[in-house]
Amino acid sequence: MSKAQPANIGVIGLGQMGQGIARNLDRMGRLTAVSDLAEAAYDRAGLSSSVTPLSGQALVDHVDILLCAVPSTSEIETALSGCSAKRSQLVVDLTTSDPTRSRALADDLARRGFRYLDAAMTGGAAGADAGTLTLMVGADPKDLAEAQPVFDMIANQVFHLGPVGAGHAMKLVHNMILHSSFMATCEGLQLAERAGLDLATAVDVLNAGNARSFVTEVRFPRDILSGTMNARSVVGNLEKDLGLAVGFASANEAPVPYGEMTHRLLSMALAEGHARTDFSQLFPLYEGLAIRMEQEK
């Protein structure tokens, strides 16, 4: 197998992120097999007829590099349960997961003949569609070198953070900052509206000053001010990420009061039935969540 041209690439998971990744690989003629628990996912992905839906050992036998774009390591464990590698296939874990779980999964897969690296991604579904993701990688350098030609098809930037688990550690830090920033921005802009300020102008001011961020430059204009309210991810995903980050911080004896407060707000949203609500809706929901949090002190 040529390092520059992997013979066969497979994707497990055809959700918001996985379908964009799969389509990019398919357009470049590199995707050979996919797997998803939902039958409808294959039609939604719109892949070419040369891509074969497979699962379990049949999928493993069909690929050399397997990209896993599922919610967590648990889904990878389920998808590869009972499978063994016949030629030291490389499993690429694109999830947001706890580094301890990642390392345990890597050890388990190694006992069954697989190699493993974690490549946590950011850029959202839009980045997956465009092939412009940023990847945070924990890997043996040789495994990363093998995966790099594949990463070049789906990402603009790849950061090697260290050994297995390091990519997932960085993703938890990234998401704790990102989601806390989103909630802080919701809070500030709710105050701007209460003060009678025009919301769009307030966002323009933030973007002209030092408070600008991805949240103000992209998220609010594209997904909220536009009225689409479609950030292509749900509140439950944010709550999961913050729960992992807070747990990771606790394991490392790191105080994260802002992270804990954000997790509490997101947990309250889940308790009110918003697990499957697009997270852009957290802006109109924010004031109610904040009032209830104050009442519960």
Side-chain angles (χ1 to χ4, degrees):
M1 181 179 65
S2 166
K3 297 296 184 183
Q5 289 292 327
N8 296 297
I9 303 170
V11 172
I12 294 178
L14 295 174
Q16 290 281 7
M17 301 297 291
Q19 62 184 257
I21 290 168
R23 282 194 292 266
N24 277 301
L25 295 170
D26 188 25
R27 279 193 291 268
M28 297 180 186
R30 305 310 309 153
L31 185 68
T32 60
V34 292
S35 179
D36 196 282
L37 292 175
E39 289 292 328
Y42 299 114
D43 291 333
R44 285 197 303 268
L47 302 173
S48 67
S49 59
S50 63
V51 179
T52 306
L54 294 171
S55 61
Q57 190 66 50
L59 173 65
V60 170
D61 292 344
H62 206 67
V63 303
D64 300 296
I65 297 179
L66 184 58
L67 306 182
C68 301
V70 290
S72 71
T73 52
S74 296
E75 286 79 11
I76 300 176
E77 291 166 348
T78 299
L80 298 180
S81 176
C83 298
S84 59
K86 302 296 193 299
R87 52 187 186 279
S88 190
Q89 286 96 326
L90 179 62
V91 175
V92 177
D93 183 345
L94 297 166
T95 68
T96 299
S97 298
D98 184 281
T100 303
R101 289 283 304 275
S102 309
R103 290 189 286 269
L105 175 60
D107 290 343
D108 177 59
L109 291 173
R111 286 189 287 270
R112 292 186 272 147
F114 294 95
R115 290 168 297 130
Y116 169 98
L117 64 79
D118 51 299
M121 49 189 172
T122 186
D129 289 346
T132 58
L133 294 168
T134 294
L135 300 179
M136 295 157 266
V137 179
D140 180 287
K142 292 181 179 178
D143 292 335
L144 175 55
E146 183 175 335
Q148 188 64 55
V150 181
F151 292 164
D152 289 342
M153 302 177 201
I154 65 173
N156 274 352
Q157 297 190 81
V158 177
F159 293 92
H160 187 199
L161 278 300
V164 165
H168 281 159
M170 185 67 235
K171 180 64 185 299
L172 294 185
V173 172
H174 174 279
N175 280 15
M176 184 174 68
I177 294 170
L178 175 64
H179 301 334
S180 297
S181 175
F182 177 69
M183 297 302 279
T185 305
C186 287
E187 180 172 282
L189 290 175
Q190 287 272 353
L191 175 58
E193 283 196 308
R194 272 193 170 252
L197 302 178
D198 177 73
L199 185 60
T201 303
V203 171
D204 287 341
V205 172
L206 295 178
N207 287 331
N210 291 340
R212 65 188 180 278
S213 67
F214 174 84
V215 173
T216 62
E217 292 180 333
V218 177
R219 184 68 67 207
F220 263 82
R222 186 187 67 191
D223 302 328
I224 297 174
L225 297 181
S226 67
T228 59
M229 306 304 285
N230 183 17
R232 298 179 66 183
S233 187
V234 296
V235 175
N237 289 339
L238 272 64
E239 189 277 334
K240 181 206 75 163
D241 292 353
L242 261 293
L244 288 171
V246 169
F248 180 61
S250 178
N252 284 276
E253 300 182 345
V256 288
Y258 289 112
E260 289 175 352
M261 182 172 64
T262 301
H263 184 232
R264 185 180 170 196
L265 285 164
L266 294 169
S267 297
M268 291 173 63
L270 258 63
E272 294 180 5
H274 294 293
R276 301 304 303 168
T277 299
D278 188 273
F279 80 83
S280 61
Q281 296 288 346
L282 286 168
F283 177 61
L285 290 170
Y286 181 82
E287 185 171 355
L289 294 171
I291 289 170
R292 281 184 285 281
M293 188 168 72
E294 285 295 310
Q295 292 172 342
E296 291 178 6
K297 281 185 177 179

